[in-house]
Amino acid sequence: MSEKTKKDFSNHYLNPYFGGVLLGFVLILTFYITGRGLGASGAAKSTVVTTINSVAPGYAKESHYVSQFISDDEHPMNNWLVFEVLGVFAGAFLSGILYGRLKPKVEHSPKITSRKRLIVALIGGALFGFGSQVARGCTSGAALSGMAVLSFGGIITMMGIFGSAFLFSYIFRKNWI
Amino acid sequence: MKEELFISGRDIPNIDPFLNIWHWQIPIYLYLGGLAAGILFFAGIFTILGKEKEMSTTVKWAPFLVPGALVIGLLMLFLDLKHQLFFWRLYTTVRFESPMSWGAWVLMFITPLSFIYAATYLKEAVPSWKWKYSILESAERIAIQYRRALAWVLIVLAVILGIYTGILLSAFNARPLWNNSILGPLFLVSGLSTGTAVIMWMTKDHRERKIMSRIDLVLIIIELFFITHMIMGMLAGSSVQIAAAELFLGGQFTVSFWVFVIILGLVFPAVLEILELAGYKIPVAIPALLILFGGLVFRFIMVEAGQITRYLY
């Protein structure tokens, strides 16, 4: 395919409902292949645990939270979620190439600057990371995978995440529209 | 460790049951040696084909990295030695049956020649460059005059160097994972592939990148074939070889080998290169980095895993 004849797909996104159905199939496949559900915050947690364990092993051993993920037999990065996230990177990269969207950019509302968007996203991400550890999982690990196996915790997490999202989106809407 | 005090064939610290003498220096050296061999090989080939202009990065600019890679690699070898002040003893003898002797002598020739080769293009890279002594000026003139002859010598030496990085391991007959004859060609092809990755990454010329990308694609396919061949050969062998192969097929190196070497280091960059040849825009740094990283991980895994395989249980 030459570049001239190629269609411009850069603003062409999948129907979100169809995307949701596809995600469901991915989840079924994941359960079938790995015996576990999907997750994302777990990979971030493993990275944080590994960093703490390398920089301050003494603290990592004493900390009640960090120490539960460290054992002599297995490296904290040797975790299915870490590899899954690597795969997500690779897949997203391929999708970006195929749809001609592969370029560095910060998406934000025209009313705010890239800088503000990044700072707000960092704060939001940190809060979500903390919340996901309190809730024992994030949107993928607790809500998506949890609800797929009819876990009550998954349903509560889902309601917590989306309920508070509705609430806070009203307060912070000026960052977007 | 006092080698002179061994009284038993078994239970020798750091040797039996597990070898524990080669650490991070060796894979880094094998990697840099293979990379240097790869760059020099293609520089030589395209010099002989007379493509200095069309393939300027391959012929002229990438070889500037080689002396550095070789010197750092030699430093790694030196760091690994236990009796470092006796390294010169390798050069008091020539042993055709010893891969270390081959390696020592090849490096003895290829390292200074790589300096000379790079020096012949120094004035093109830095136009204001002037040699301090007139003897260097005339030496440069002679070297430029015999550049093609130099290219032939470098190609031969690069192939020996690339194969030797694998033979160094496969000559260890006490370690079943290493002791197979495919390892030499496999390391050569992997080294050539990392060399093309560096050239692809450096060049700004689209045509040159496309040529190197195609060559790299072929090398990746050959490499995958060799790896399959190696594992199949081991699985068809005796139980110690099967045990060695199982380190990659469910054993402790399974995930790192398949994820970082096969998928992210070979298959995924190959897919990206195919997409690029099909006309999609891809930042070349991504496949190049993945190939370079995969090659490095491959050497770490082979050195690490080979040391824990054994014949006696």
Side-chain angles (χ1 to χ4, degrees), chain B residues 179-220:
Chain B
N179 192 217
N180 65 79
S181 50
I182 205 81
L183 222 54
L186 174 57
F187 272 63
L188 172 68
V189 174
S190 167
L192 294 178
S193 169
T194 52
T196 53
V198 167
I199 297 168
M200 259 161 42
W201 198 2
M202 280 179 75
T203 182
K204 291 192 176 71
D205 180 352
H206 284 277
R207 284 187 52 191
E208 185 175 15
R209 183 178 300 163
K210 218 167 189 176
I211 293 171
M212 292 321 280
S213 183
R214 276 185 194 159
I215 294 175
D216 192 44
L217 204 52
V218 175
L219 290 171
I220 288 176

Side-chain angles (χ1 to χ4, degrees), chain B residues 90 95-103 171:
Chain B
L90 278 163
R95 289 201 186 177
F96 289 108
E97 76 279 12
S98 156
M100 283 210 188
S101 187
W102 273 95

Side-chain angles (χ1 to χ4, degrees), chain A residues 1-3 6 78 83 86-87 89-91 93-94 96-100 102, chain B residues 252 255-256 259-260 264 268 271-272 275 277-283 286-287:
Chain A
M1 215 187 313
S2 81
E3 274 171 39
K6 206 161 51 182
N78 193 5
F83 294 102
L86 281 179
F89 273 119
F93 189 74
L94 262 186
I97 291 168
L98 292 172
Y99 288 91
L102 196 68
Chain B
Q252 68 181 98
V255 176
S256 45
V259 172
F260 293 112
L264 288 180
F268 192 57
V271 170
L272 294 182
L275 285 177
L277 291 176
Y280 288 97
K281 273 191 186 164
I282 292 164
I286 305 289

Side-chain angles (χ1 to χ4, degrees), chain B residues 1-297:
Chain B
M1 185 164 56
K2 293 200 166 171
E3 292 88 344
E4 63 273 28
L5 292 184
F6 288 163
I7 50 166
S8 153
R10 301 307 309 266
D11 197 22
I12 307 167
N14 296 330
I15 291 181
D16 189 73
F18 302 123
L19 199 63
N20 183 25
I21 48 167
W22 280 1
H23 306 294
W24 57 273
Q25 300 94 336
I26 297 296
I28 290 185
Y29 157 68
L30 297 177
Y31 178 68
L32 291 172
L35 185 71
I39 295 175
L40 283 181
F41 179 81
F42 289 108
I45 291 281
F46 286 105
T47 301
I48 287 167
L49 293 174
K51 303 267 185 201
E52 288 94 343
K53 279 198 186 118
E54 297 91 329
M55 306 287 288
S56 58
T57 305
T58 315
V59 173
K60 297 176 185 175
W61 316 130
F64 278 103
L65 297 176
V66 173
L70 286 175
V71 167
I72 296 171
L74 284 168
L75 186 72
M76 292 296 140
L77 272 189
F78 185 72
L79 285 179
D80 171 72
L81 289 179
K82 188 162 182 197
H83 302 290
Q84 290 169 330
L85 292 177
F86 290 100
F87 79 93
W88 53 271
R89 288 206 174 184
L90 278 163
Y91 296 107
T92 59
T93 177
V94 177
R95 289 201 186 177
F96 289 108
E97 76 279 12
S98 156
M100 283 210 188
S101 187
W102 273 95
W105 282 106
V106 164
L107 286 163
M108 176 69 129
F109 289 110
I110 203 168
T111 311
L113 286 179
S114 76
F115 271 97
I116 293 173
Y117 182 88
T120 63
Y121 284 111
L122 195 56
K123 276 189 180 166
E124 286 189 44
V126 189
S128 60
W129 181 267
K130 277 199 174 65
W131 297 100
K132 265 192 176 173
Y133 304 103
S134 61
I135 188 165
L136 288 177
E137 290 281 351
S138 44
E140 187 202 28
R141 225 173 301 127
I142 296 169
I144 290 174
Q145 200 183 337
Y146 288 101
R147 213 183 252 150
R148 270 170 169 253
L150 188 61
W152 276 108
V153 176
L154 282 176
I155 290 173
V156 174
L157 289 177
V159 171
I160 297 176
L161 177 65
I163 292 184
Y164 143 77
T165 58
I167 303 274
L168 187 67
L169 299 180
S170 66
F172 260 82
N173 50 11
R175 303 291 151 191
L177 179 71
W178 292 341
N179 192 217
N180 65 79
S181 50
I182 205 81
L183 222 54
L186 174 57
F187 272 63
L188 172 68
V189 174
S190 167
L192 294 178
S193 169
T194 52
T196 53
V198 167
I199 297 168
M200 259 161 42
W201 198 2
M202 280 179 75
T203 182
K204 291 192 176 71
D205 180 352
H206 284 277
R207 284 187 52 191
E208 185 175 15
R209 183 178 300 163
K210 218 167 189 176
I211 293 171
M212 292 321 280
S213 183
R214 276 185 194 159
I215 294 175
D216 192 44
L217 204 52
V218 175
L219 290 171
I220 288 176
I221 292 167
I222 297 175
E223 198 177 334
L224 283 171
F225 171 75
F226 279 166
I227 289 173
T228 316
H229 203 59
M230 180 178 81
I231 291 176
M232 280 174 68
M234 281 193 231
L235 288 178
S238 59
S239 62
V240 287
Q241 265 113 9
I242 294 171
E246 275 169 357
L247 285 177
F248 300 139
L249 303 170
Q252 68 181 98
F253 291 95
T254 310
V255 176
S256 45
F257 182 74
W258 287 93
V259 172
F260 293 112
V261 179
I262 304 289
I263 299 176
L264 288 180
L266 294 169
V267 175
F268 192 57
V271 170
L272 294 182
E273 282 174 4
I274 291 170
L275 285 177
E276 192 178 24
L277 291 176
Y280 288 97
K281 273 191 186 164
I282 292 164
V284 68
I286 305 289
L289 258 177
L290 286 172
I291 291 166
L292 290 171
F293 184 67
L296 185 63
V297 174

